[in-house]
């Protein structure tokens, strides 16, 4: 399977990439790790006339603390997230989530920005990003803007990014010491994509709870009902069981959490 013919561009800066997007409009696609775009091009599900390879743009990868948040550059690979000592210490949910993605080849090539921008309904990061209350930084002709992750995923493979915007960074707010966080998924046996995946973040006092779900609809969603059932409760086994049972499919979970269906 070969992709349709395309013209290849390799901009040296974000501004150059943005001006290419502005000029080439719908005929162009950005290329990051290529682990979603290239398969789609080979299957001819995507046939961009121009491919804008952003991998040589400096400053778009890396993980650092910045103004009370953790900033992750768009081109940071899943492997870099999985192996980051900063994230292991301060946001283990992301290292855990990244470690479940695909196989070593996918994790070495695929990027955080590419995964979020692609908005695959079975991707893993969206659940974690929602649970953590992340923000996405987009850069376009008018400069940068920050989008709350709850406003970012719009539907199947659709985000709040404008056609001439590039996702440049994801920002994770800091959570108090002692916050518990975990990601569990039922992986597809072939691709390892999430048939369903759930990310949960709970502060030690139980006052702040974040729960994100992926794989169960056309986009990842915040499980608001589960969050409400857990917030402020003493998180013993009974409270957790009650929250889970109260939101089971038989008792209206789908109606409550997935009212967009
Ligand atoms: C065999 C296989 C198994 C996989 N398993 C999993 C899995 O278990 N879990 C999972 O979550 N994912 C999985 N993936 C997907 C993988 O994580 C991809 O890396 C990811 O979806 C896309 O990231 P990328 O960097 O490869 O983006 P690309 O493929 O380069 O781009 C994807 C899309 O996003 C756009 N884009 C890329 N970067 C940006 C940016 N910075 N700003 C704006 N738009 C951008 C591109 O134009 C394109 O439309 C798998 C992929 C493969 C091939």
């Amino acid at each position: 399977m070969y992709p349709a013919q395309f013209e290849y561009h390799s901009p040296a800066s974000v501004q150059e990439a943005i001006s290419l997007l502005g000029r080439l409009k719908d005929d162009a696609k950005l290329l990051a790790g290529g682990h979603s775009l290239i398969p789609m091009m080979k299957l001819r599900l995507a046939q961009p006339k121009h491919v804008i390879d952003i991998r040589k743009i400096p400053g778009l990868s890396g993980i650092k603390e910045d103004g009370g948040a953790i900033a992750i550059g768009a081109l940071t690979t899943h492997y870099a997230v999985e192996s980051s000592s900063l994230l292991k210490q301060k946001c283990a949910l992301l290292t855990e989530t990244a470690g479940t993605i695909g196989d070593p080849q996918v994790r070495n090539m695929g990027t955080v920005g590419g995964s979020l921008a692609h908005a695959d309904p079975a991707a893993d990061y969206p659940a974690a990003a929602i649970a953590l209350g992340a923000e996405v930084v987009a850069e376009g002709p008018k400069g940068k803007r920050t989008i709350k992750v709850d406003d970012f995923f719009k539907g199947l493979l659709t985000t709040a990014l404008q056609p001439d915007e590039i996702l440049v960074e994801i920002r994770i707010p800091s959570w108090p010491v002692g916050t518990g966080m975990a990601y569990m998924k039922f992986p597809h046996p072939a691709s390892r994509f999430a048939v369903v995946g759930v990310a949960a973040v709970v502060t030690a006092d139980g006052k702040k709870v974040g729960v994100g779900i992926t794989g169960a609809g056309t986009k990842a969603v915040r499980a608001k009902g589960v969050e409400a059932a857990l917030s402020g409760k003493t998180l013993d086994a009974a409270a957790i069981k009650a929250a889970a049972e109260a939101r089971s499919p038989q008792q209206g979970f789908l109606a409550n959490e997935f009212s967009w269906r």
Side-chain angles (χ1 to χ4, degrees), residues 29-37 54 74 78 100-102 106 109-111 113-115 117-118 123-124 161 165-167 185 191-193:
K29 275 275 179 201
L30 297 175
L31 174 75
H35 268 57
S36 291
L37 181 62
I54 58 174
H78 309 326
T100 72
I101 295 176
V106 174
M109 292 297 292
T111 67
S115 178
H118 189 55
D124 294 294
L161 287 174
E165 282 183 321
I166 297 178
L167 191 166
K185 75 169 173 180
S191 69
R192 317 304 292 169
F193 269 105

PDB file of all heavy atoms in Angstrom, residues 29-37 54 74 78 100-102 106 109-111 113-115 117-118 123-124 161 165-167 185 191-193, ligand 1:
ATOM      1  N   LYS A  29      -1.326  18.539   5.465  1.00  0.00           N
ATOM      2  CA  LYS A  29      -1.396  17.851   6.768  1.00  0.00           C
ATOM      3  C   LYS A  29      -0.046  17.961   7.446  1.00  0.00           C
ATOM      4  O   LYS A  29       1.004  17.786   6.801  1.00  0.00           O
ATOM      5  CB  LYS A  29      -1.703  16.369   6.559  1.00  0.00           C
ATOM      6  CG  LYS A  29      -3.167  16.055   6.415  1.00  0.00           C
ATOM      7  CD  LYS A  29      -3.791  15.897   7.792  1.00  0.00           C
ATOM      8  CE  LYS A  29      -5.267  15.596   7.723  1.00  0.00           C
ATOM      9  NZ  LYS A  29      -5.934  15.935   8.971  1.00  0.00           N
ATOM     10  N   LEU A  30      -0.066  18.199   8.751  1.00  0.00           N
ATOM     11  CA  LEU A  30       1.180  18.176   9.516  1.00  0.00           C
ATOM     12  C   LEU A  30       1.593  16.732   9.739  1.00  0.00           C
ATOM     13  O   LEU A  30       0.754  15.847   9.912  1.00  0.00           O
ATOM     14  CB  LEU A  30       0.982  18.848  10.874  1.00  0.00           C
ATOM     15  CG  LEU A  30       0.626  20.332  10.877  1.00  0.00           C
ATOM     16  CD1 LEU A  30       0.348  20.792  12.315  1.00  0.00           C
ATOM     17  CD2 LEU A  30       1.756  21.159  10.269  1.00  0.00           C
ATOM     18  N   LEU A  31       2.901  16.513   9.752  1.00  0.00           N
ATOM     19  CA  LEU A  31       3.439  15.181  10.068  1.00  0.00           C
ATOM     20  C   LEU A  31       4.282  15.293  11.335  1.00  0.00           C
ATOM     21  O   LEU A  31       5.218  16.089  11.395  1.00  0.00           O
ATOM     22  CB  LEU A  31       4.323  14.681   8.907  1.00  0.00           C
ATOM     23  CG  LEU A  31       5.066  13.370   9.166  1.00  0.00           C
ATOM     24  CD1 LEU A  31       4.110  12.184   9.075  1.00  0.00           C
ATOM     25  CD2 LEU A  31       6.203  13.183   8.163  1.00  0.00           C
ATOM     26  N   ALA A  32       3.942  14.490  12.355  1.00  0.00           N
ATOM     27  CA  ALA A  32       4.765  14.441  13.578  1.00  0.00           C
ATOM     28  C   ALA A  32       5.420  13.066  13.609  1.00  0.00           C
ATOM     29  O   ALA A  32       6.345  12.792  12.858  1.00  0.00           O
ATOM     30  CB  ALA A  32       3.904  14.745  14.793  1.00  0.00           C
ATOM     31  N   GLY A  33       4.903  12.152  14.447  1.00  0.00           N
ATOM     32  CA  GLY A  33       5.476  10.796  14.482  1.00  0.00           C
ATOM     33  C   GLY A  33       5.054   9.934  13.297  1.00  0.00           C
ATOM     34  O   GLY A  33       5.666   8.908  13.011  1.00  0.00           O
ATOM     35  N   GLY A  34       3.982  10.326  12.639  1.00  0.00           N
ATOM     36  CA  GLY A  34       3.515   9.620  11.442  1.00  0.00           C
ATOM     37  C   GLY A  34       2.789   8.317  11.723  1.00  0.00           C
ATOM     38  O   GLY A  34       2.380   7.634  10.794  1.00  0.00           O
ATOM     39  N   HIS A  35       2.584   7.993  13.001  1.00  0.00           N
ATOM     40  CA  HIS A  35       2.017   6.677  13.292  1.00  0.00           C
ATOM     41  C   HIS A  35       0.497   6.625  13.232  1.00  0.00           C
ATOM     42  O   HIS A  35      -0.103   5.564  13.449  1.00  0.00           O
ATOM     43  CB  HIS A  35       2.550   6.144  14.626  1.00  0.00           C
ATOM     44  CG  HIS A  35       3.772   5.317  14.395  1.00  0.00           C
ATOM     45  ND1 HIS A  35       4.870   5.823  13.755  1.00  0.00           N
ATOM     46  CD2 HIS A  35       4.042   4.020  14.648  1.00  0.00           C
ATOM     47  CE1 HIS A  35       5.782   4.875  13.647  1.00  0.00           C
ATOM     48  NE2 HIS A  35       5.298   3.761  14.173  1.00  0.00           N
ATOM     49  N   SER A  36      -0.124   7.729  12.944  1.00  0.00           N
ATOM     50  CA  SER A  36      -1.542   7.715  12.583  1.00  0.00           C
ATOM     51  C   SER A  36      -1.700   8.224  11.148  1.00  0.00           C
ATOM     52  O   SER A  36      -2.458   7.653  10.368  1.00  0.00           O
ATOM     53  CB  SER A  36      -2.367   8.589  13.541  1.00  0.00           C
ATOM     54  OG  SER A  36      -2.401   7.998  14.814  1.00  0.00           O
ATOM     55  N   LEU A  37      -0.970   9.290  10.812  1.00  0.00           N
ATOM     56  CA  LEU A  37      -1.130   9.884   9.476  1.00  0.00           C
ATOM     57  C   LEU A  37      -0.681   8.935   8.365  1.00  0.00           C
ATOM     58  O   LEU A  37      -1.402   8.750   7.373  1.00  0.00           O
ATOM     59  CB  LEU A  37      -0.351  11.207   9.390  1.00  0.00           C
ATOM     60  CG  LEU A  37      -0.476  11.921   8.048  1.00  0.00           C
ATOM     61  CD1 LEU A  37      -1.929  12.314   7.764  1.00  0.00           C
ATOM     62  CD2 LEU A  37       0.423  13.155   7.984  1.00  0.00           C
ATOM     63  N   ILE A  54       6.953  18.491  10.770  1.00  0.00           N
ATOM     64  CA  ILE A  54       7.355  19.456  11.811  1.00  0.00           C
ATOM     65  C   ILE A  54       8.470  18.911  12.704  1.00  0.00           C
ATOM     66  O   ILE A  54       8.861  19.554  13.673  1.00  0.00           O
ATOM     67  CB  ILE A  54       6.140  19.894  12.672  1.00  0.00           C
ATOM     68  CG1 ILE A  54       5.457  18.688  13.341  1.00  0.00           C
ATOM     69  CG2 ILE A  54       5.150  20.688  11.844  1.00  0.00           C
ATOM     70  CD1 ILE A  54       4.334  19.088  14.317  1.00  0.00           C
ATOM     71  N   ALA A  74       4.938  19.348  22.114  1.00  0.00           N
ATOM     72  CA  ALA A  74       4.088  18.522  21.243  1.00  0.00           C
ATOM     73  C   ALA A  74       4.839  17.346  20.630  1.00  0.00           C
ATOM     74  O   ALA A  74       4.281  16.275  20.433  1.00  0.00           O
ATOM     75  CB  ALA A  74       3.503  19.389  20.133  1.00  0.00           C
ATOM     76  N   HIS A  78       6.078   9.221  22.995  1.00  0.00           N
ATOM     77  CA  HIS A  78       5.455   8.442  24.075  1.00  0.00           C
ATOM     78  C   HIS A  78       6.553   7.833  24.958  1.00  0.00           C
ATOM     79  O   HIS A  78       6.399   7.740  26.166  1.00  0.00           O
ATOM     80  CB  HIS A  78       4.591   7.311  23.503  1.00  0.00           C
ATOM     81  CG  HIS A  78       3.605   7.754  22.452  1.00  0.00           C
ATOM     82  ND1 HIS A  78       2.976   8.974  22.481  1.00  0.00           N
ATOM     83  CD2 HIS A  78       3.135   7.118  21.334  1.00  0.00           C
ATOM     84  CE1 HIS A  78       2.164   9.080  21.432  1.00  0.00           C
ATOM     85  NE2 HIS A  78       2.246   7.974  20.722  1.00  0.00           N
ATOM     86  N   THR A 100       1.404   2.151  28.083  1.00  0.00           N
ATOM     87  CA  THR A 100       0.421   1.186  27.561  1.00  0.00           C
ATOM     88  C   THR A 100       0.182   1.362  26.057  1.00  0.00           C
ATOM     89  O   THR A 100      -0.581   0.605  25.467  1.00  0.00           O
ATOM     90  CB  THR A 100      -0.955   1.329  28.274  1.00  0.00           C
ATOM     91  OG1 THR A 100      -1.582   2.540  27.837  1.00  0.00           O
ATOM     92  CG2 THR A 100      -0.840   1.316  29.782  1.00  0.00           C
ATOM     93  N   ILE A 101       0.800   2.378  25.472  1.00  0.00           N
ATOM     94  CA  ILE A 101       0.504   2.679  24.053  1.00  0.00           C
ATOM     95  C   ILE A 101       1.253   1.716  23.131  1.00  0.00           C
ATOM     96  O   ILE A 101       2.482   1.596  23.197  1.00  0.00           O
ATOM     97  CB  ILE A 101       0.889   4.139  23.718  1.00  0.00           C
ATOM     98  CG1 ILE A 101       0.003   5.113  24.501  1.00  0.00           C
ATOM     99  CG2 ILE A 101       0.789   4.392  22.219  1.00  0.00           C
ATOM    100  CD1 ILE A 101       0.361   6.573  24.327  1.00  0.00           C
ATOM    101  N   GLY A 102       0.516   1.061  22.273  1.00  0.00           N
ATOM    102  CA  GLY A 102       1.069   0.272  21.170  1.00  0.00           C
ATOM    103  C   GLY A 102       2.220  -0.634  21.578  1.00  0.00           C
ATOM    104  O   GLY A 102       2.139  -1.404  22.527  1.00  0.00           O
ATOM    105  N   VAL A 106       5.978   2.110  18.136  1.00  0.00           N
ATOM    106  CA  VAL A 106       4.979   3.194  18.192  1.00  0.00           C
ATOM    107  C   VAL A 106       5.387   4.211  19.253  1.00  0.00           C
ATOM    108  O   VAL A 106       5.337   5.424  19.040  1.00  0.00           O
ATOM    109  CB  VAL A 106       3.571   2.623  18.502  1.00  0.00           C
ATOM    110  CG1 VAL A 106       2.567   3.747  18.716  1.00  0.00           C
ATOM    111  CG2 VAL A 106       3.115   1.685  17.400  1.00  0.00           C
ATOM    112  N   MET A 109       8.220   6.542  18.125  1.00  0.00           N
ATOM    113  CA  MET A 109       7.935   7.464  17.015  1.00  0.00           C
ATOM    114  C   MET A 109       6.759   8.393  17.317  1.00  0.00           C
ATOM    115  O   MET A 109       6.789   9.577  16.970  1.00  0.00           O
ATOM    116  CB  MET A 109       7.613   6.674  15.732  1.00  0.00           C
ATOM    117  CG  MET A 109       8.779   5.921  15.141  1.00  0.00           C
ATOM    118  SD  MET A 109      10.110   7.005  14.593  1.00  0.00           S
ATOM    119  CE  MET A 109       9.356   7.845  13.207  1.00  0.00           C
ATOM    120  N   GLY A 110       5.705   7.858  17.911  1.00  0.00           N
ATOM    121  CA  GLY A 110       4.490   8.647  18.142  1.00  0.00           C
ATOM    122  C   GLY A 110       4.720   9.756  19.151  1.00  0.00           C
ATOM    123  O   GLY A 110       5.554   9.640  20.045  1.00  0.00           O
ATOM    124  N   THR A 111       3.960  10.841  18.992  1.00  0.00           N
ATOM    125  CA  THR A 111       4.159  12.013  19.846  1.00  0.00           C
ATOM    126  C   THR A 111       2.882  12.356  20.618  1.00  0.00           C
ATOM    127  O   THR A 111       1.770  12.044  20.185  1.00  0.00           O
ATOM    128  CB  THR A 111       4.558  13.242  18.993  1.00  0.00           C
ATOM    129  OG1 THR A 111       3.442  13.606  18.162  1.00  0.00           O
ATOM    130  CG2 THR A 111       5.777  12.951  18.134  1.00  0.00           C
ATOM    131  N   GLY A 113       1.684  15.387  21.046  1.00  0.00           N
ATOM    132  CA  GLY A 113       0.899  16.360  20.266  1.00  0.00           C
ATOM    133  C   GLY A 113       0.130  15.687  19.147  1.00  0.00           C
ATOM    134  O   GLY A 113      -1.035  16.009  18.893  1.00  0.00           O
ATOM    135  N   GLY A 114       0.796  14.735  18.471  1.00  0.00           N
ATOM    136  CA  GLY A 114       0.125  14.029  17.376  1.00  0.00           C
ATOM    137  C   GLY A 114      -1.060  13.236  17.874  1.00  0.00           C
ATOM    138  O   GLY A 114      -2.125  13.219  17.251  1.00  0.00           O
ATOM    139  N   SER A 115      -0.890  12.586  19.008  1.00  0.00           N
ATOM    140  CA  SER A 115      -1.978  11.780  19.551  1.00  0.00           C
ATOM    141  C   SER A 115      -3.175  12.662  19.923  1.00  0.00           C
ATOM    142  O   SER A 115      -4.318  12.350  19.576  1.00  0.00           O
ATOM    143  CB  SER A 115      -1.500  11.003  20.775  1.00  0.00           C
ATOM    144  OG  SER A 115      -2.559  10.275  21.327  1.00  0.00           O
ATOM    145  N   ALA A 117      -3.849  15.772  18.869  1.00  0.00           N
ATOM    146  CA  ALA A 117      -4.403  16.466  17.694  1.00  0.00           C
ATOM    147  C   ALA A 117      -5.198  15.506  16.815  1.00  0.00           C
ATOM    148  O   ALA A 117      -6.184  15.894  16.194  1.00  0.00           O
ATOM    149  CB  ALA A 117      -3.267  17.100  16.879  1.00  0.00           C
ATOM    150  N   HIS A 118      -4.778  14.247  16.781  1.00  0.00           N
ATOM    151  CA  HIS A 118      -5.470  13.264  15.941  1.00  0.00           C
ATOM    152  C   HIS A 118      -6.838  12.908  16.534  1.00  0.00           C
ATOM    153  O   HIS A 118      -7.783  12.608  15.820  1.00  0.00           O
ATOM    154  CB  HIS A 118      -4.590  12.005  15.810  1.00  0.00           C
ATOM    155  CG  HIS A 118      -5.083  11.024  14.819  1.00  0.00           C
ATOM    156  ND1 HIS A 118      -5.338  11.349  13.511  1.00  0.00           N
ATOM    157  CD2 HIS A 118      -5.392   9.710  14.936  1.00  0.00           C
ATOM    158  CE1 HIS A 118      -5.776  10.283  12.862  1.00  0.00           C
ATOM    159  NE2 HIS A 118      -5.828   9.269  13.710  1.00  0.00           N
ATOM    160  N   ALA A 123      -7.691   6.464  21.601  1.00  0.00           N
ATOM    161  CA  ALA A 123      -6.345   6.823  22.068  1.00  0.00           C
ATOM    162  C   ALA A 123      -6.316   6.919  23.589  1.00  0.00           C
ATOM    163  O   ALA A 123      -7.344   7.191  24.222  1.00  0.00           O
ATOM    164  CB  ALA A 123      -5.920   8.145  21.448  1.00  0.00           C
ATOM    165  N   ASP A 124      -5.135   6.721  24.142  1.00  0.00           N
ATOM    166  CA  ASP A 124      -5.023   6.651  25.606  1.00  0.00           C
ATOM    167  C   ASP A 124      -4.861   8.015  26.285  1.00  0.00           C
ATOM    168  O   ASP A 124      -5.479   8.264  27.323  1.00  0.00           O
ATOM    169  CB  ASP A 124      -3.828   5.763  25.976  1.00  0.00           C
ATOM    170  CG  ASP A 124      -4.065   4.321  25.563  1.00  0.00           C
ATOM    171  OD1 ASP A 124      -4.971   3.684  26.120  1.00  0.00           O
ATOM    172  OD2 ASP A 124      -3.380   3.843  24.649  1.00  0.00           O
ATOM    173  N   LEU A 161      -8.707  22.686  17.380  1.00  0.00           N
ATOM    174  CA  LEU A 161      -7.630  23.333  16.616  1.00  0.00           C
ATOM    175  C   LEU A 161      -8.184  23.903  15.315  1.00  0.00           C
ATOM    176  O   LEU A 161      -8.954  23.233  14.621  1.00  0.00           O
ATOM    177  CB  LEU A 161      -6.529  22.326  16.271  1.00  0.00           C
ATOM    178  CG  LEU A 161      -5.601  21.866  17.392  1.00  0.00           C
ATOM    179  CD1 LEU A 161      -4.685  20.759  16.873  1.00  0.00           C
ATOM    180  CD2 LEU A 161      -4.797  23.021  17.957  1.00  0.00           C
ATOM    181  N   GLU A 165      -3.614  26.179  12.825  1.00  0.00           N
ATOM    182  CA  GLU A 165      -2.980  26.150  14.146  1.00  0.00           C
ATOM    183  C   GLU A 165      -2.190  24.859  14.343  1.00  0.00           C
ATOM    184  O   GLU A 165      -2.570  23.794  13.843  1.00  0.00           O
ATOM    185  CB  GLU A 165      -4.036  26.244  15.251  1.00  0.00           C
ATOM    186  CG  GLU A 165      -4.562  27.642  15.483  1.00  0.00           C
ATOM    187  CD  GLU A 165      -5.551  27.692  16.644  1.00  0.00           C
ATOM    188  OE1 GLU A 165      -6.359  26.757  16.797  1.00  0.00           O
ATOM    189  OE2 GLU A 165      -5.520  28.676  17.391  1.00  0.00           O
ATOM    190  N   ILE A 166      -1.132  24.982  15.136  1.00  0.00           N
ATOM    191  CA  ILE A 166      -0.314  23.824  15.506  1.00  0.00           C
ATOM    192  C   ILE A 166      -0.409  23.652  17.019  1.00  0.00           C
ATOM    193  O   ILE A 166      -0.324  24.631  17.765  1.00  0.00           O
ATOM    194  CB  ILE A 166       1.155  24.060  15.096  1.00  0.00           C
ATOM    195  CG1 ILE A 166       1.250  24.188  13.577  1.00  0.00           C
ATOM    196  CG2 ILE A 166       2.052  22.931  15.591  1.00  0.00           C
ATOM    197  CD1 ILE A 166       2.651  24.464  13.075  1.00  0.00           C
ATOM    198  N   LEU A 167      -0.606  22.431  17.435  1.00  0.00           N
ATOM    199  CA  LEU A 167      -0.550  22.138  18.873  1.00  0.00           C
ATOM    200  C   LEU A 167       0.939  22.165  19.250  1.00  0.00           C
ATOM    201  O   LEU A 167       1.729  21.417  18.678  1.00  0.00           O
ATOM    202  CB  LEU A 167      -1.172  20.765  19.132  1.00  0.00           C
ATOM    203  CG  LEU A 167      -1.472  20.337  20.564  1.00  0.00           C
ATOM    204  CD1 LEU A 167      -2.387  19.133  20.559  1.00  0.00           C
ATOM    205  CD2 LEU A 167      -0.225  20.049  21.374  1.00  0.00           C
ATOM    206  N   LYS A 185      -6.719   0.097  31.175  1.00  0.00           N
ATOM    207  CA  LYS A 185      -7.459  -0.051  29.924  1.00  0.00           C
ATOM    208  C   LYS A 185      -7.613  -1.518  29.569  1.00  0.00           C
ATOM    209  O   LYS A 185      -6.820  -2.373  29.998  1.00  0.00           O
ATOM    210  CB  LYS A 185      -6.764   0.687  28.782  1.00  0.00           C
ATOM    211  CG  LYS A 185      -5.519   0.041  28.206  1.00  0.00           C
ATOM    212  CD  LYS A 185      -5.120   0.775  26.919  1.00  0.00           C
ATOM    213  CE  LYS A 185      -3.795   0.311  26.380  1.00  0.00           C
ATOM    214  NZ  LYS A 185      -3.375   0.976  25.168  1.00  0.00           N
ATOM    215  N   SER A 191      -3.742  -4.052  18.262  1.00  0.00           N
ATOM    216  CA  SER A 191      -3.105  -2.726  18.196  1.00  0.00           C
ATOM    217  C   SER A 191      -2.701  -2.191  19.556  1.00  0.00           C
ATOM    218  O   SER A 191      -1.885  -1.284  19.644  1.00  0.00           O
ATOM    219  CB  SER A 191      -4.075  -1.732  17.558  1.00  0.00           C
ATOM    220  OG  SER A 191      -5.162  -1.495  18.439  1.00  0.00           O
ATOM    221  N   ARG A 192      -3.303  -2.690  20.610  1.00  0.00           N
ATOM    222  CA  ARG A 192      -3.169  -2.189  21.988  1.00  0.00           C
ATOM    223  C   ARG A 192      -3.942  -0.889  22.210  1.00  0.00           C
ATOM    224  O   ARG A 192      -3.895  -0.307  23.293  1.00  0.00           O
ATOM    225  CB  ARG A 192      -1.700  -1.984  22.448  1.00  0.00           C
ATOM    226  CG  ARG A 192      -0.732  -3.078  22.077  1.00  0.00           C
ATOM    227  CD  ARG A 192      -1.148  -4.440  22.558  1.00  0.00           C
ATOM    228  NE  ARG A 192      -1.110  -4.578  24.005  1.00  0.00           N
ATOM    229  CZ  ARG A 192      -1.636  -5.604  24.668  1.00  0.00           C
ATOM    230  NH1 ARG A 192      -2.229  -6.579  24.013  1.00  0.00           N
ATOM    231  NH2 ARG A 192      -1.567  -5.670  25.974  1.00  0.00           N
ATOM    232  N   PHE A 193      -4.625  -0.359  21.174  1.00  0.00           N
ATOM    233  CA  PHE A 193      -5.513   0.780  21.406  1.00  0.00           C
ATOM    234  C   PHE A 193      -6.526   0.402  22.487  1.00  0.00           C
ATOM    235  O   PHE A 193      -6.820  -0.783  22.690  1.00  0.00           O
ATOM    236  CB  PHE A 193      -6.283   1.131  20.125  1.00  0.00           C
ATOM    237  CG  PHE A 193      -5.606   2.144  19.246  1.00  0.00           C
ATOM    238  CD1 PHE A 193      -4.974   1.762  18.072  1.00  0.00           C
ATOM    239  CD2 PHE A 193      -5.612   3.490  19.574  1.00  0.00           C
ATOM    240  CE1 PHE A 193      -4.361   2.694  17.249  1.00  0.00           C
ATOM    241  CE2 PHE A 193      -5.001   4.432  18.759  1.00  0.00           C
ATOM    242  CZ  PHE A 193      -4.377   4.032  17.597  1.00  0.00           C
TER     243      PHE A 193
HETATM  244  C1  LIG B   1       0.344  -0.241  15.400  1.00  0.00           C
HETATM  245  C2  LIG B   1      -0.094   0.973  16.157  1.00  0.00           C
HETATM  246  C3  LIG B   1      -0.565   0.827  17.449  1.00  0.00           C
HETATM  247  C4  LIG B   1      -0.997   1.944  18.162  1.00  0.00           C
HETATM  248  N1  LIG B   1      -1.473   1.765  19.431  1.00  0.00           N
HETATM  249  C5  LIG B   1      -1.899   2.833  20.132  1.00  0.00           C
HETATM  250  C6  LIG B   1      -2.384   2.688  21.458  1.00  0.00           C
HETATM  251  O1  LIG B   1      -2.407   1.605  22.040  1.00  0.00           O
HETATM  252  N2  LIG B   1      -2.819   3.805  22.098  1.00  0.00           N
HETATM  253  C7  LIG B   1      -2.778   5.058  21.511  1.00  0.00           C
HETATM  254  O2  LIG B   1      -3.178   6.029  22.133  1.00  0.00           O
HETATM  255  N3  LIG B   1      -2.296   5.228  20.267  1.00  0.00           N
HETATM  256  C8  LIG B   1      -1.861   4.158  19.567  1.00  0.00           C
HETATM  257  N4  LIG B   1      -1.358   4.334  18.298  1.00  0.00           N
HETATM  258  C9  LIG B   1      -1.319   5.691  17.719  1.00  0.00           C
HETATM  259  C10 LIG B   1      -0.003   6.373  18.097  1.00  0.00           C
HETATM  260  O3  LIG B   1      -0.037   6.689  19.469  1.00  0.00           O
HETATM  261  C11 LIG B   1       0.244   7.659  17.279  1.00  0.00           C
HETATM  262  O4  LIG B   1       1.534   8.016  17.583  1.00  0.00           O
HETATM  263  C12 LIG B   1      -0.621   8.847  17.567  1.00  0.00           C
HETATM  264  O5  LIG B   1      -1.982   8.584  17.421  1.00  0.00           O
HETATM  265  C13 LIG B   1      -0.366   9.996  16.618  1.00  0.00           C
HETATM  266  O6  LIG B   1       0.841  10.619  16.915  1.00  0.00           O
HETATM  267  P1  LIG B   1       1.886  10.904  15.798  1.00  0.00           P
HETATM  268  O7  LIG B   1       2.929  11.752  16.413  1.00  0.00           O
HETATM  269  O8  LIG B   1       2.313   9.631  15.182  1.00  0.00           O
HETATM  270  O9  LIG B   1       1.031  11.817  14.774  1.00  0.00           O
HETATM  271  P2  LIG B   1       0.945  11.804  13.190  1.00  0.00           P
HETATM  272  O10 LIG B   1       0.533  10.479  12.690  1.00  0.00           O
HETATM  273  O11 LIG B   1       2.149  12.411  12.593  1.00  0.00           O
HETATM  274  O12 LIG B   1      -0.275  12.835  13.010  1.00  0.00           O
HETATM  275  C14 LIG B   1      -1.581  12.471  13.384  1.00  0.00           C
HETATM  276  C15 LIG B   1      -2.531  13.637  13.049  1.00  0.00           C
HETATM  277  O13 LIG B   1      -2.303  14.721  13.934  1.00  0.00           O
HETATM  278  C16 LIG B   1      -1.879  15.883  13.204  1.00  0.00           C
HETATM  279  N5  LIG B   1      -0.802  16.476  14.016  1.00  0.00           N
HETATM  280  C17 LIG B   1       0.325  15.859  14.418  1.00  0.00           C
HETATM  281  N6  LIG B   1       1.030  16.661  15.219  1.00  0.00           N
HETATM  282  C18 LIG B   1       0.337  17.810  15.304  1.00  0.00           C
HETATM  283  C19 LIG B   1       0.552  19.033  16.001  1.00  0.00           C
HETATM  284  N7  LIG B   1       1.615  19.237  16.782  1.00  0.00           N
HETATM  285  N8  LIG B   1      -0.388  20.021  15.885  1.00  0.00           N
HETATM  286  C20 LIG B   1      -1.492  19.819  15.116  1.00  0.00           C
HETATM  287  N9  LIG B   1      -1.734  18.683  14.440  1.00  0.00           N
HETATM  288  C21 LIG B   1      -0.843  17.693  14.540  1.00  0.00           C
HETATM  289  C22 LIG B   1      -1.431  15.374  11.846  1.00  0.00           C
HETATM  290  O14 LIG B   1      -1.606  16.348  10.829  1.00  0.00           O
HETATM  291  C23 LIG B   1      -2.351  14.187  11.643  1.00  0.00           C
HETATM  292  O15 LIG B   1      -3.599  14.620  11.173  1.00  0.00           O
HETATM  293  C24 LIG B   1      -0.936   3.232  17.564  1.00  0.00           C
HETATM  294  C25 LIG B   1      -0.441   3.386  16.261  1.00  0.00           C
HETATM  295  C26 LIG B   1      -0.018   2.272  15.556  1.00  0.00           C
HETATM  296  C27 LIG B   1       0.517   2.462  14.171  1.00  0.00           C
END
